[in-house]
Each structure stands twice: as structure tokens, then as C-alpha cells.
Amino acid sequence: MSIALLAVSMLATPSQADQPFYQTIAQCTGRLSAEMEHAWLMNDPAADAFEGQRREFVSILGAVIPIGSGPEVLQTRIEAKFAHERLLNLAAFGTDPERAVWARKRSKYYRERCKNLLLRG
């Protein structure tokens, strides 16, 4: 039993393990919103891909959100979007090269974590 618990705890990040699934989806929706808008700002052709991924998360969120959780979910989306936006801005416009590299890696980590939640055929 303890081996199984250890394996499960190793697979989940702290935020995923400590929150309901719909909150993780709400965070990803916010993060992808920030990615999409940042890509638009930077004239990045990846904007279309981010927009599609965001659309998928919006659809998933609509299916898993508990009744009455709308305000909480919206707050989560907004907080995640602004936090991710700060990372992207630091990565793109930061004057400290080490912090910019850290922000780039961190934003990529979050983006990939979200992307891995989507099923691909």
C-alpha cells in the first residue's frame, strides 16, 4: 500500500495533489490565455496553437466545474493568467538575464504541464 501511495505522490505536482481537478483545469485555462495574448503581442505564429489549446481547456472546464463554483473558478483563471503573464513578461522583457532564463523555463514548465493534460489522438 505505501509503495502505491509513494508512486502516486511522485507523479503529482503539489498543486495537482492539493486541489480539485477543476481548479487545475481553471489554472491551465488562465495560463493558456496568457500564452495566447503574449504570442499575439510578440507576433508569434504559435498564437493559433495556444488559442486552440485554450479553447479545449474552456470546453473541459465547462464540463467539470461544480455547480455554484463559477466565481471561485473565474478567480482561479484570472490569478493564473496574471501570474503566467508576469513570467512571460519577465522572460521577454526582463533586464536580469538569469531571472529571464528562470522565467522562460518556468513558463514552459507550466505550459507543458497543461498541454500534457490534453488528449491527443
Side-chain angles (χ1 to χ4, degrees):
M1 178 85 166
S2 63
I3 293 174
L5 290 175
L6 177 63
V8 170
S9 67
M10 289 171 53
L11 293 174
T13 63
S15 63
Q16 288 174 320
D18 295 341
Q19 69 185 10
F21 179 68
Y22 71 90
Q23 288 288 34
T24 299
I25 298 301
Q27 287 176 343
C28 287
T29 305
R31 290 185 186 284
L32 267 298
S33 294
E35 287 282 353
M36 178 184 70
E37 291 175 7
H38 187 76
W40 288 341
L41 175 70
M42 303 302 284
N43 247 354
D44 185 342
D48 290 340
F50 294 138
E51 185 173 11
Q53 291 168 3
R54 181 192 168 277
R55 195 175 313 116
E56 288 182 65
F57 277 107
V58 168
S59 178
I60 294 167
L61 187 58
V64 300
I65 184 174
I67 295 173
S69 298
E72 172 192 358
V73 168
L74 182 58
Q75 180 180 351
T76 299
R77 282 180 64 175
I78 291 168
E79 288 173 356
K81 178 182 175 185
F82 286 129
H84 201 77
E85 185 178 277
R86 284 191 298 271
L87 284 174
L88 294 170
N89 287 335
L90 182 59
F93 307 116
T95 57
D96 180 342
E98 287 181 25
R99 288 191 65 177
V101 168
W102 173 84
R104 195 171 301 112
K105 287 179 181 178
R106 200 71 190 155
S107 65
K108 181 180 179 185
Y109 164 79
Y110 286 124
R111 183 177 63 239
E112 292 299 315
R113 188 178 134 233
C114 290
K115 187 177 168 185
N116 289 336
L117 292 173
L118 297 175
L119 298 176
R120 298 287 175 210

